Amino acid sequence: MRFALSTEQLDFAAELRKILDAGQVPAAVRAWADGDTGKGRALLRQVAEMGVFGLLVDEQYGGAEATPVDLTVALVELGRAAVPGPTIESAAVIPALLQGLPDPEPARRWLPALTGGGLLGTIAFDEPQRSIALDAETVDLVLVAGDGRISLGRRTPDSGEAVDPTNAAAADAASAPGQAAAGAAGDASGGSAAPASGSGSTGARASVPSPLASIDPARKLFGITADELVADGEDVQEAIDYAFDHGVLACAAQLLGAGRAILDQTTNYAKQRKQFGRAIGEFQAVKQQLADVLIALDLAEPLLYRAALTLDSPDRTRDVSAALVACGDAAHRAARAGLQVHGAIGYTAEYDLSVWLTRVTALRTAWGTADFHRARIATALRDRPAS
């Protein structure tokens, strides 16, 4: 199995990284956390213009019909830059879901706008591992999927008064800092549903509900209930399962990118920070920590690309779960080492490193816990036909 990227893929990654480096992403992330999504949306439009949201989309809907490996390359770069917004949902999950439906009408309705960057989407799955929707108050399309049904999302009836989504002042107030309390267990999933709903010309838009708790203030999470039915049936459940695994793969890719970004920042810091007249990177304890992080990331990367290559095979579930566990552990190791090497400044929210540290913590559980994915791997190995 070939894991080396092609020249075209490496060039695409380099060009995307150049655009993201120029985009002042940490400032956009902090503004997004404060309820000002303007900078982040502008950044995402640039990402869309690069074709990222259309990589998995058929040409008939304006996409590039590229491979999952191409998408993985792009998502690693989005993770490396810590781009805000529902990129996993818009670039991977929703395209895979809508194109897997037996009825092409939902794909015709939403994919062209999604591909062009004029529409952002999010999705909640009717299961404990992903029962929340990211940035539901910001996006243009909110979907709920589970039990063989796909529906538009709406706020729960006991959630209080709805807020007119066209009222920008009310919207900003409802998504202001403090609404999203910092938690210690990563992204929340399950639990009582917070309000969310609304409808727009292209689909359902959340009407400024109160978010659930998230360790990452730039990731606003919302409970969603189903409203208008989009599709149902046995084939629909297969599309839902397929789309969920796209989300797992995309999350693993972003974790790998975030881990590499933390390692780069920490290595540069260790070369510049001096103690006792020497750069701290010269000390064996620091070098050993950074070397362990590099090894962990390098060992996780082949699992990620294997999962991308086998996404349409019977090994799909096992491989995406293995990729997420490996990339999550490697990114977590990078975050711990980064925090320790940076010392006291690593704990401050004002320092840019905090953007990646909180992102890694949130993503590790955003698409299922490590226990959930290890159980899926064990089940796949146990049920594997004897050769």
Side-chain angles (χ1 to χ4, degrees), residues 271-284:
K271 291 178 179 177
Q272 298 170 8
R273 178 78 166 90
K274 291 187 177 181
Q275 281 187 339
F276 310 113
R278 298 170 58 190
I280 62 173
E282 296 179 18
F283 297 121
Q284 184 63 31

Side-chain angles (χ1 to χ4, degrees), residues 4-387:
L5 299 178
S6 67
T7 302
E8 291 77 12
Q9 288 166 335
L10 292 172
D11 290 344
F12 178 64
E15 190 63 28
L16 185 56
R17 190 181 307 180
K18 188 186 305 180
I19 290 174
L20 294 173
D21 285 346
Q24 298 181 335
V25 177
V29 172
R30 290 190 172 93
W32 193 286
D34 291 341
D36 177 9
T37 59
K39 292 180 180 177
R41 291 291 294 240
L43 190 64
L44 292 177
R45 280 194 291 275
Q46 287 184 288
V47 171
E49 289 170 1
M50 285 286 293
V52 173
F53 291 159
L55 285 174
L56 283 189
V57 178
D58 290 346
E59 288 184 0
Q60 62 177 317
Y61 306 124
E65 271 190 62
T67 67
V69 175
D70 297 322
L71 178 66
T72 301
V73 168
L75 287 168
V76 168
E77 293 306 318
L78 297 187
R80 187 191 297 267
V83 170
T87 52
I88 291 174
E89 292 80 359
S90 296
V93 181
I94 293 177
L97 176 66
L98 297 184
Q99 292 178 117
L101 298 178
D103 179 7
E105 179 54 32
R108 279 199 292 264
R109 182 179 178 187
W110 288 306
L111 284 184
L114 192 74
T115 299
L119 179 149
L120 282 178
T122 192
I123 185 169
F125 289 86
D126 187 17
E127 59 169 283
Q129 296 299 326
R130 185 64 188 178
S131 61
I132 47 82
L134 175 66
D135 292 320
E137 95 288 17
T138 301
V139 302
D140 313 284
L141 171 66
V142 181
L143 296 175
V144 182
D147 292 331
R149 297 164 59 91
I150 300 172
S151 307
L152 296 177
R154 68 181 295 274
R155 63 187 301 173
T156 52
D158 59 346
S159 58
E161 292 297 321
V163 179
D164 183 355
T166 61
N167 186 335
D172 287 343
S175 57
Q179 295 284 347
D187 277 9
S189 62
S192 60
S197 82
S199 61
S201 58
T202 55
R205 188 177 189 279
S207 52
V208 202
S210 298
L212 302 171
S214 172
I215 187 78
D216 184 351
R219 289 174 54 83
K220 291 185 167 52
L221 309 174
F222 302 86
I224 300 294
T225 55
D227 189 7
E228 178 188 334
L229 182 67
V230 174
D232 64 349
E234 187 174 335
D235 292 342
V236 172
Q237 185 57 50
E238 293 179 7
I240 292 171
D241 295 340
Y242 186 60
F244 180 83
D245 284 341
H246 274 72
V248 175
L249 174 69
C251 184
Q254 293 212 344
L255 279 166
L256 183 73
R260 293 214 180 275
I262 293 172
L263 177 61
D264 290 344
Q265 293 176 52
T266 305
T267 302
N268 290 333
Y269 181 80
K271 291 178 179 177
Q272 298 170 8
R273 178 78 166 90
K274 291 187 177 181
Q275 281 187 339
F276 310 113
R278 298 170 58 190
I280 62 173
E282 296 179 18
F283 297 121
Q284 184 63 31
V286 175
K287 286 194 287 189
Q288 188 65 54
Q289 277 204 74
L290 299 182
D292 287 345
V293 171
L294 179 61
I295 291 170
L297 292 169
D298 283 351
L299 289 177
E301 188 165 353
L303 291 178
L304 175 68
Y305 285 108
R306 175 185 170 85
L309 288 168
T310 61
L311 204 53
D312 293 317
S313 79
D315 294 332
R316 181 190 76 212
T317 298
R318 180 198 66 189
D319 288 350
V320 297
S321 287
L324 185 59
V325 170
C327 292
D329 287 349
H332 180 58
R333 181 185 287 271
R336 289 183 58 186
L339 193 61
Q340 292 175 355
V341 171
H342 278 81
I345 63 171
Y347 288 91
T348 60
E350 292 78 10
Y351 197 63
D352 282 350
L353 181 70
S354 65
V355 171
W356 284 267
L357 297 182
T358 53
R359 185 63 53 84
V360 166
T361 304
L363 286 179
R364 283 190 77 201
T365 56
W367 286 85
T369 65
D371 286 347
F372 168 76
H373 287 292
R374 288 194 175 99
R376 292 215 307 176
I377 296 168
T379 300
L381 293 175
R382 187 170 55 244
D383 297 343
R384 187 177 185 178
S387 57

